[in-house]
Amino acid sequence: MSHKPRIAVHKFSSCDGCQLAFLNMGAGLLELSEQVDIVHFAEAGPLAEDYRVDIAFVEGSVVTAHDVERIQRIRANSDYLVTIGACATSGGIQALKNLAHDREHWPAQIYTHPEYIDSLPESQPISDHVKVDFELWGCPINSEQVVAAVGSLLQDVVPKDNAEKLCLECKRQRVVCTLVTQGEPCMGPVTRTGCGALCPSFGRDCYGCYGPAESSNAAGLARRFSGLGLVPDEVSRRMHFIHPIASDFDCIPVQQERCDD
């Protein structure tokens, strides 16, 4: 690049947790700022949403008509667009409303004047609207993912997509399997690594924060959960908790045909 690379961090509908992966870098963020020009990052201060950038990081899902217009503009002003976190990559927790039959009635149960709420019928990932060059999965992502992605992109190299299963990380760390030894409904066999096996290392079962792993057999795991005594609704909650509309997790025993398509 002939100029100092420009970076922007944009927020859509989300909790801001993935943006904290930048702020949590601490001194590393200062080092990054010496290599790049961070022109837009509302969480940290700079505001220039329409500036032309080399890399745009996008957190959050598309839930309003204004979001649709914004993401189109951001894509047009970016050489690389990277989605960060569950909301941007798969719709996030707010996409649970996509699965509800009465979602159009929800605003009236919460707001006095629901007619003022500008909300699309569904929460949608960024890739539903524009081309995404790379996805960083996680809820939230971590600083190591950001550093690795930025480093690769600055060298004009596609970042590594680590989609191996969390179970492999547990084995590397010699963490005792919660599914086998405790009979807990752990999502590790179908969830990609990235968290360092945080929950299993404390004896807790994985909740699937980092999204679907490669070659996952979610249908088989759903049947295993049923064997542990979970009723269909409980299995569904496990599969849909963080990435409710990720196709690999859209697998529950009462809707088995959706898993075999």
Side-chain angles (χ1 to χ4, degrees):
M1 299 176 183
S2 59
H3 58 271
K4 192 176 182 180
R6 292 184 289 266
I7 287 181
V9 182
H10 300 276
K11 170 185 165 56
F12 283 71
S13 294
S14 61
C15 70
D16 290 16
C18 291
Q19 293 182 78
L20 291 177
F22 285 86
L23 299 180
N24 288 341
M25 291 169 64
L29 182 59
L30 297 179
E31 295 175 3
L32 176 64
S33 65
E34 295 176 355
Q35 304 177 47
V36 302
D37 186 9
I38 303 176
V39 299
H40 177 77
F41 188 4
E43 190 90 357
L47 294 174
E49 181 172 276
D50 293 329
Y51 207 84
R52 178 75 192 182
V53 298
D54 299 284
I55 308 171
F57 290 93
V58 180
E59 176 196 73
S61 62
V62 173
V63 298
T64 70
H66 179 59
D67 287 344
V68 175
E69 185 274 329
R70 275 186 65 212
I71 194 57
Q72 296 286 349
R73 190 171 66 249
I74 290 169
R75 172 71 269 189
N77 288 330
S78 310
D79 290 337
Y80 292 99
L81 190 149
V82 180
T83 53
I84 55 175
C87 298
T89 56
S90 69
I93 293 177
Q94 56 267 37
L96 285 168
K97 74 173 184 177
N98 300 16
L99 309 179
H101 297 296
D102 60 344
R103 56 180 179 268
E104 67 274 9
H105 302 302
W106 288 7
Q109 299 177 32
I110 302 172
Y111 300 100
T112 305
H113 295 284
E115 64 272 15
Y116 296 145
I117 304 302
D118 173 23
S119 180
L120 298 174
E122 296 184 345
S123 172
Q124 301 163 333
I126 300 300
S127 61
D128 277 9
H129 295 273
V130 297
K131 175 189 175 184
V132 172
D133 297 299
F134 191 71
E135 297 176 328
L136 290 179
W137 290 77
C139 187
I141 61 169
N142 58 62
S143 299
E144 289 75 16
Q145 289 173 285
V146 172
V147 171
V150 171
S152 296
L153 291 171
L154 291 182
Q155 298 299 320
D156 207 20
V157 174
V158 177
K160 179 181 178 181
D161 184 21
N162 188 359
E164 68 178 19
K165 296 177 177 63
L166 182 67
C167 292
L168 296 177
E169 185 65 30
C170 284
K171 291 181 182 297
R172 282 192 290 265
Q173 296 192 27
R174 299 183 180 181
V175 173
V176 176
C177 179
T178 59
L179 179 63
V180 174
T181 64
Q182 301 179 36
E184 295 292 339
C186 181
M187 290 286 290
V190 297
T191 300
R192 66 174 59 202
T193 187
C195 65
L198 181 62
C199 289
S201 66
F202 285 95
R204 294 188 59 182
D205 43 306
C206 169
Y207 277 78
C209 297
Y210 273 72
E214 58 188 1
S215 303
S216 295
N217 182 9
L221 185 62
R223 288 191 291 271
R224 180 71 183 98
F225 286 174
S226 296
L228 294 175
L230 274 68
V231 299
D233 182 62
E234 292 174 320
V235 175
S236 176
R237 288 177 182 273
R238 275 285 169 166
M239 290 290 171
H240 296 154
F241 181 46
I242 302 219
H243 298 270
I245 59 173
S247 58
D248 290 339
F249 285 173
D250 197 7
C251 261
I252 55 176
V254 294
Q255 296 177 318
Q256 190 63 46
E257 69 278 5
R258 300 171 68 178
C259 305
D260 297 331
D261 291 343

